[in-house]
Amino acid sequence: MEEKKLLDIYKYGDDVLKLKAADIKNIDGKIARLKELMVATMHSTRSGVGLAAPQIGKSLQLSVIDLSQGKDEK
């Protein structure tokens, strides 16, 4: 299994967070790969339930959300 690289997370005050995020016109392999990296990065924080592309330095209208945190696995 390929190891996923974690992405840097930008915090409040970083310039990239002030930019207007662009629409995604085409969901291609590049966007799908970015989504997978975002999910891996979000899960690595152990407390995050969501992550937006601007938070990882990409000014795109893309976010990932995991609402399963805290649920009992059966």
Side-chain angles (χ1 to χ4, degrees), residues 46-70:
R46 300 190 187 262
S47 62
V49 296
L51 186 65
Q55 291 176 286
I56 51 102
K58 303 290 184 186
S59 192
L60 297 169
Q61 292 182 10
L62 174 66
S63 61
V64 294
I65 300 169
D66 183 352
L67 299 176
S68 68
Q69 186 170 355

Side-chain angles (χ1 to χ4, degrees), residues 36-54:
E36 291 299 321
L37 292 171
M38 288 174 64
V39 168
T41 300
M42 175 185 62
H43 285 156
S44 75
T45 68
R46 300 190 187 262
S47 62
V49 296
L51 186 65

Side-chain angles (χ1 to χ4, degrees), residues 3-8 33 37 40-41:
E3 186 174 325
K4 294 181 181 167
K5 176 184 175 269
L6 298 181
L7 304 167
D8 293 330
R33 176 72 177 141
L37 292 171
T41 300

Side-chain angles (χ1 to χ4, degrees), residues 67-74:
L67 299 176
S68 68
Q69 186 170 355
K71 300 240 183 206
D72 292 333
E73 290 186 26
K74 294 182 182 186

